[in-house]
Amino acid sequence: AWATVLLVAAVIAVTGQRHLSRTRLVRDLAQIPAVSAVPAPEILEDFDVIQQLSHVPVAANGGQGFSDEELLAALQ
């Protein structure tokens, strides 16, 4: 009879541990942010233009920033 009680207690303990483990897994997975849709390939069309923007001098207007003409020239 004691063996049966111990066996039932062991089964309950193992089942509870599995449930706790799965609960933790679900909680941890819920904390991972959902991945939004993959960006469209059109975003990469202007990659060369964006790459060239890093070569535009920072203080082009005597420290005043960029004029519209300078930005337009950099984008073309």
Side-chain angles (χ1 to χ4, degrees), residues 34-54:
V35 177
S36 62
V38 176
E42 290 81 24
I43 292 176
L44 298 176
E45 288 178 356
D46 296 329
F47 181 76
D48 293 329
V49 173
I50 295 169
Q51 184 75 18
Q52 290 176 359
L53 284 176
S54 65

Side-chain angles (χ1 to χ4, degrees), residues 1-70:
W2 286 105
T4 304
V5 170
L6 288 176
L7 180 64
V8 170
V11 168
I12 290 173
V14 169
T15 304
Q17 182 64 28
R18 285 185 182 171
H19 178 70
L20 182 61
S21 174
R22 287 183 182 176
T23 303
R24 287 180 184 160
L25 178 64
V26 168
R27 184 191 67 220
D28 292 343
L29 288 176
Q31 291 177 354
I32 298 173
V35 177
S36 62
V38 176
E42 290 81 24
I43 292 176
L44 298 176
E45 288 178 356
D46 296 329
F47 181 76
D48 293 329
V49 173
I50 295 169
Q51 184 75 18
Q52 290 176 359
L53 284 176
S54 65
H55 301 294
V56 175
V58 175
N61 253 350
Q64 299 290 329
F66 299 111
S67 68
D68 290 340
E69 291 81 18
E70 290 170 334

